[in-house]
Amino acid sequence: ATQSLKDGRWDRKLYTGTELLDKTVGIVGLGRIGRQVAAYCQALGMRTIGYDPVLSNEVSLKAKIEPVSLEEIYEQSDFITLHTPMTSETRNLLNANTLAQCKDGVRIINVARGGIVNEADLLAAIESGKVAGAALDVYTQEPPPKEIAGLLSHPNVICTPHLGASTDEAQEKVAVDIAKQLADALAGTRIFGVLNSPVMSVLAAKRDLKPYVDLAERIGSMQAQLVKSHFNEVEIVSRGPVFEGAMGVMEAALLKGILGHTSEDLVNLVNAPAMAKSMGLHVREVIEEGGDGGRFKNEVTVRVKCSDGMREIAGTTFANEPRVTAIDGLAVDFAPFGEFMYFENIDRPGILADVFPLLSQSGINVNQSINARSSSLGKAQTMISLDHSIPEDVLKQVQSIEGLSNVRSFKLADQPALGDITQPSRRPASPLFGSGPTKKHPGYSLNQLPTDALGRSHRSALGKAVLNDAIEQTKTLLDIPSDYYVGIVPGSNTGAVEMAMWSLLGSRPVDVLHWESFGKGWLSDIAQQLKINFNEIPAPYGSISDLSKVSPANDVVFTWNGTTSGVKVPNGDWIAENREGLTICDATSAVFAMDMPWDKLDVTTYSFQKVLGGEGAHGMIILSPRAVERLEQFQPDRPLPKIFRLTKKGKLNEAIFKGSVINTPSMLVIEDYLDALRWAKQVGGLPALINRSQANYAAISDFVSKKDWVHFLAEDESIRSNTSVCLTLDLPADKVKKVVKLLENEHIAYDINAYRDAPAGLRIWCGATVETSDVKALMPWIEWAYNKVKDE
């Protein structure tokens, strides 16, 4: 209308408005700003209704705001105005589904946070006439992208460029306040604000309390995101000697966590108690300094009573890292950092198998799965730690799985930033980063292994069935061609490689590729033990052999992934499809973590104790039809030890590949391997295992990219291993050893020193059984140790 008149027109009939008098305004979020907006609306004669998960009904009614549910907001409001923070619960709060529940002709106002309104759905609702108009000051992406130009240019939309505090008066007040506080501080007269807070004074005097304050805030944040209905009462019980003299501090931390997810206002340790009081939130704080009766010397328990029951979350700290130890009385153990998905489920086998493939197919890496089980009730609560937030469409798919309920996502703050020398407060949940044997899979328990085959003959029907089950599950998980043979053999991966070389090599020259110690070891055996014609194609640590020098007429022996150099072959394109020779591939640190082109591999070997975190002593050998043909047609001119014999009367001994092993195996080791295979299937199969390993590598790569003192041993990114990640530090070799020792003494990382023949540095195992959250937690500790040793 203004622009029309300025343009010389008098178009009164085009600009008919709507009265506010007697209209209903629905206010989502009744913090300080939301209640002030209500007062303005009441002055204009509007009926005010509101929703807030924390504000008590008494305080709401005192402010003349009728407390209602979100559904009632949608059903009754002529205007909906948003005054809530952006959280996993409020993301896309107004979407196609919720807008459809609104009155026809509703008007939407969002001056709180971008992303609370789904902008595409809002435009569709305006164009359909469901929504009469909207006023927006904030956007999902700022500045707004071209994709929402249709919304911003719509005649029924008022839009401004995030001007919430853009007034001359507001800017002047902030400047004056800062100047006065700085002048007072420099003059030594008085200091207002955080530094005068009793809470901060206690924290300054009790440094050992800080991890528990962080814990209380994180538990509060969890409670705010997991409770399904209105808060009625909150109780925090801090038990243990560390809490002596801490009355008020733990309550403030808890409220900061809760209100940070429910209030649009800035919340801190100083103002959180006053904010809670103004909102009518009843808080009870109990300090029990003795610590008797608890599971831990010092622990925090938070109970939230709401309209549909009570939720209890307890925690403590391990080595100054916050840990959640119980939910609703059920024991758990996890570090409350980062992104999570939560749901309640029936406690029966296999129910989680439907969840993990969905996440894997959506490219979402699972760091850790935490189950709080009640066998007597047949119910469980599950938290899944994720690499990044779960998209809404994937969350809806999980919600549709039978047997799951109350499915939701929540986010907790990442590890706080620390100074260069300050010891990080967050520790890896497991210090096992060694490259073999490697860490057991998440949730592993020796007590869960079946024991029926223990003490039984491996030649019994039961023994053979268990061994054959391991073979068949391997073939299925790795998607090995049906005409390939898979067998369990003696001597770990070394035994499997030697078996292949002694049984198959000698009919033609051999190209031997090596760029680290194990490949060089195979060369030594070929040259000095087998004494056959060979062609050496070497490369130094951190590089890879010239693959173009491999002759299709020759056999070739190589490691797919150099465990001691952190270098892998980028793919199998260099192996000729019409080759005459055989390929013998040591894949022990590659299989289950990298794509293996089976059509290019004639013999593949590995051992249990690498990517799946199994036990040693047994190896696996995978033979192609071409390898079987060689076995049956070629007779080596050397005697073969019994444990190397793959043929019987000139034919492949197929019994080996059906569970009849050459020597006596450990059935406990086989059951351990089967347990790892079941876990791998549960988390989403081979794609999920590869994703987990790549996510671990990416966590290190992100860290290295930001530091100038740590480097990958392999400079070429295309050949870097995603399992055995090798790093160099800008330190002499003796100081690198001190870094490794320091991390071991702190129980942060075990066995991460570079291999004895490799350049001085670190070797960090990033296979699928390692949690990405642990890799991320390790990185600041490496920097801490580096700085500590560097400055000695």
Side-chain angles (χ1 to χ4, degrees):
T2 300
Q3 190 60 48
S4 173
L5 187 59
K6 289 182 176 182
D7 291 342
R9 299 193 303 274
W10 187 262
D11 298 325
R12 293 180 62 192
K13 292 181 180 180
L14 296 179
Y15 303 110
T16 302
T18 183
E19 292 186 0
L20 299 181
L21 181 65
D22 295 329
K23 295 294 192 303
T24 296
V25 59
I27 306 169
V28 181
L30 297 174
R32 178 180 58 84
I33 296 174
R35 280 177 283 164
Q36 187 63 57
V37 168
Y40 295 152
C41 292
Q42 291 160 9
L44 295 171
M46 301 185 76
R47 172 188 173 224
T48 52
I49 61 176
Y51 169 78
D52 192 289
V54 173
L55 190 76
S56 71
N57 289 346
E58 294 82 0
V59 172
S60 182
L61 292 170
K62 187 176 181 180
K64 300 179 181 179
I65 305 169
E66 180 184 343
V68 297
S69 66
L70 274 175
E71 289 73 18
E72 290 171 307
I73 290 277
Y74 304 145
E75 294 169 359
Q76 301 179 28
S77 300
D78 299 298
F79 293 81
I80 296 177
T81 179
L82 305 171
H83 301 282
T84 179
M86 173 63 175
T87 68
S88 59
E89 288 295 300
T90 62
R91 183 183 292 112
N92 286 325
L93 181 67
L94 290 187
N95 54 46
N97 180 46
T98 52
L99 289 171
Q101 301 175 44
C102 295
K103 291 175 66 174
D104 291 343
V106 68
R107 289 172 167 82
I108 307 298
I109 303 165
N110 184 18
V111 295
R113 295 290 186 272
I116 299 176
V117 177
N118 185 299
E119 290 148 351
D121 291 351
L122 176 61
L123 176 58
I126 293 174
E127 290 178 337
S128 72
K130 180 67 177 182
V131 174
L136 307 173
D137 185 51
V138 290
Y139 311 92
T140 303
Q141 182 179 332
E142 296 180 356
K146 294 180 181 179
E147 287 76 10
I148 69 167
L151 176 66
L152 303 184
S153 62
H154 198 283
N156 291 358
V157 174
I158 299 171
C159 49
T160 51
H162 207 147
L163 299 177
S166 297
T167 67
D168 292 337
E169 292 83 358
Q171 299 301 313
E172 183 178 339
K173 286 177 182 177
V174 170
V176 170
D177 287 346
I178 293 174
K180 284 182 177 179
Q181 291 180 21
L182 182 59
D184 289 337
L186 292 174
T189 54
R190 57 179 182 169
I191 302 177
F192 289 116
V194 172
L195 294 179
N196 268 0
S197 164
V199 170
M200 304 309 291
S201 298
V202 172
L203 282 177
K206 292 178 64 67
R207 295 179 61 87
D208 56 349
L209 189 62
K210 289 182 179 181
Y212 294 92
V213 170
D214 187 25
L215 170 67
E217 181 178 338
R218 292 176 184 278
I219 291 179
S221 179
M222 274 188 69
Q223 291 278 28
Q225 295 177 77
L226 291 182
V227 168
K228 295 179 286 187
S229 56
H230 191 279
F231 282 42
N232 290 335
E233 185 177 323
V234 178
E235 178 184 70
I236 178 169
V237 179
S238 305
R239 182 183 295 109
V242 75
F243 301 109
E244 181 181 358
M247 180 66 77
V249 178
M250 301 304 292
E251 175 190 347
L254 171 66
L255 292 173
K256 181 175 182 288
I258 292 174
L259 298 178
H261 279 277
T262 59
S263 174
E264 186 185 7
D265 298 318
L266 178 66
V267 187
N268 55 47
L269 290 173
V270 179
N271 66 8
M275 287 181 64
K277 184 177 181 181
S278 72
M279 300 180 77
L281 180 61
H282 301 291
V283 184
R284 179 172 180 264
E285 181 181 18
V286 178
I287 300 287
E288 298 179 2
E289 298 172 5
D292 297 331
R295 292 173 59 201
F296 305 98
K297 181 179 180 181
N298 298 294
E299 62 183 351
V300 176
T301 302
V302 175
R303 302 181 182 95
V304 171
K305 296 179 181 178
C306 48
S307 54
D308 61 353
M310 182 181 77
R311 179 177 297 280
E312 177 182 291
I313 300 178
T316 186
T317 69
F318 298 150
N320 289 328
E321 179 186 71
R323 306 290 293 188
V324 173
T325 56
I327 296 179
D328 292 339
L330 303 176
V332 296
D333 178 23
F334 67 95
F337 300 94
E339 300 278 356
F340 289 84
M341 180 173 66
Y342 167 89
F343 52 81
E344 297 160 9
N345 59 280
I346 301 169
D347 186 25
R348 61 173 172 79
I351 195 167
L352 301 183
D354 294 329
V355 177
F356 292 112
L358 272 178
L359 299 176
S360 177
Q361 292 162 15
S362 303
I364 300 171
N365 189 54
V366 173
N367 292 327
Q368 183 183 11
S369 178
I370 307 103
N371 300 98
R373 303 173 57 202
S374 174
S375 300
S376 59
L377 297 175
K379 296 181 179 180
Q381 299 180 50
T382 300
M383 274 73 55
I384 300 178
S385 171
L386 306 171
D387 255 8
H388 54 79
S389 61
I390 182 169
E392 187 175 356
D393 61 328
V394 179
L395 192 65
K396 287 181 178 178
Q397 292 181 62
V398 177
Q399 290 168 342
S400 67
I401 296 175
E402 185 178 357
L404 305 188
S405 60
N406 194 24
V407 180
R408 57 184 62 209
S409 62
F410 66 94
K411 177 177 174 58
L412 303 174
D414 292 327
Q415 181 179 352
L418 299 166
D420 289 340
I421 309 298
T422 304
Q423 191 177 78
S425 62
R426 183 183 177 190
R427 306 167 69 90
S430 169
L432 302 178
F433 296 100
S435 293
T438 62
K439 178 185 176 293
K440 294 294 187 184
H441 68 77
Y444 176 85
S445 171
L446 186 62
N447 294 331
Q448 293 178 358
L449 298 185
T451 58
D452 293 350
L454 304 190
R456 295 292 306 275
S457 170
H458 62 288
R459 296 187 180 90
S460 67
L462 175 62
K464 287 183 179 179
V466 171
L467 290 160
N468 190 58
D469 189 25
I471 290 170
E472 292 302 319
Q473 287 199 41
T474 297
K475 293 170 72 173
T476 299
L477 187 65
L478 292 177
D479 197 22
I480 295 172
S482 59
D483 56 349
Y484 278 49
Y485 289 84
V486 178
I488 300 171
V489 298
S492 192
N493 180 66
T494 302
V497 175
E498 294 287 355
M499 171 184 280
M501 293 195 303
W502 282 68
S503 299
L504 292 166
L505 296 183
S507 64
R508 61 182 61 238
V510 185
D511 291 336
V512 186
L513 312 181
H514 68 85
W515 50 88
E516 47 88 62
S517 57
F518 286 100
K520 194 170 184 178
W522 308 141
L523 170 72
S524 175
D525 285 353
I526 289 169
Q528 299 176 22
Q529 305 300 322
L530 299 180
K531 298 180 180 179
I532 57 179
N533 184 16
F534 69 91
N535 176 36
E536 180 182 4
I537 309 176
Y541 276 91
S543 301
I544 195 167
S545 301
D546 186 348
L547 303 177
S548 67
K549 292 184 177 180
V550 173
S551 170
N554 295 346
D555 292 332
V556 59
V557 175
F558 71 103
T559 56
W560 189 277
N561 181 80
T563 311
T564 64
S565 69
V567 171
K568 65 180 180 181
V569 293
N571 50 54
D573 295 349
W574 55 279
I575 301 173
E577 293 183 2
N578 60 348
R579 62 192 178 278
E580 299 173 40
L582 296 181
T583 55
I584 298 179
C585 174
D586 168 3
T588 195
S589 60
V591 71
F592 296 109
M594 303 173 194
D595 285 315
M596 307 301 294
W598 297 113
D599 61 320
K600 301 293 185 72
L601 304 176
D602 296 309
V603 181
T604 308
T605 68
Y606 68 92
S607 57
F608 301 155
Q609 74 265 31
K610 288 293 185 179
V611 178
L612 288 185
E615 294 299 307
H618 304 304
M620 296 292 283
I621 190 165
I622 303 170
L623 303 178
S624 74
R626 298 180 75 251
V628 173
E629 182 181 14
R630 172 77 68 84
L631 278 170
E632 295 180 344
Q633 295 181 358
F634 170 66
Q635 295 296 322
D637 59 357
R638 51 188 171 267
L640 289 182
K642 181 177 180 179
I643 60 172
F644 285 177
R645 296 173 197 163
L646 289 168
T647 59
K648 190 173 184 179
K649 296 181 180 180
K651 293 294 182 181
L652 180 72
N653 185 357
E654 294 193 15
I656 293 174
F657 304 92
K658 295 179 181 178
S660 294
V661 293
I662 296 174
N663 69 332
T664 305
S666 164
M667 298 308 293
L668 184 61
V669 169
I670 302 302
E671 291 288 12
D672 184 87
Y673 177 56
L674 279 167
D675 179 71
L677 291 172
R678 286 190 290 269
W679 168 80
K681 180 180 178 182
Q682 184 184 60
V683 299
L686 183 60
L689 298 180
I690 293 173
N691 286 342
R692 288 175 65 91
S693 179
Q694 290 176 340
N696 290 338
Y697 161 75
I700 295 179
S701 181
D702 179 64
F703 175 79
V704 172
S705 68
K706 299 173 183 176
K707 309 297 177 182
D708 61 1
W709 50 268
V710 58
H711 319 278
F712 285 103
L713 180 58
E715 295 183 6
D716 183 353
E717 186 175 358
S718 68
I719 61 171
R720 281 184 203 150
S721 170
N722 54 287
T723 55
S724 52
V725 179
C726 295
L727 305 174
T728 62
L729 310 179
D730 289 345
L731 291 173
D734 61 324
K735 287 200 170 186
V736 172
K737 290 181 179 178
K738 288 184 178 180
V739 167
V740 172
K741 190 65 176 176
L742 193 57
L743 294 171
E744 184 172 331
N745 290 343
E746 292 286 341
H747 306 292
I748 296 299
Y750 298 153
D751 309 321
I752 65 168
N753 48 303
Y755 193 71
R756 59 179 180 267
D757 296 335
L762 309 179
R763 183 171 56 147
I764 302 169
W765 183 252
C766 287
T769 59
V770 175
E771 301 282 21
T772 303
S773 56
D774 284 344
V775 177
K776 290 180 177 179
L778 171 62
M779 295 300 102
W781 281 95
I782 291 177
E783 183 168 24
W784 168 80
Y786 167 81
N787 284 320
K788 190 174 181 66
V789 168
K790 178 193 68 173
D791 295 336
E792 286 181 351

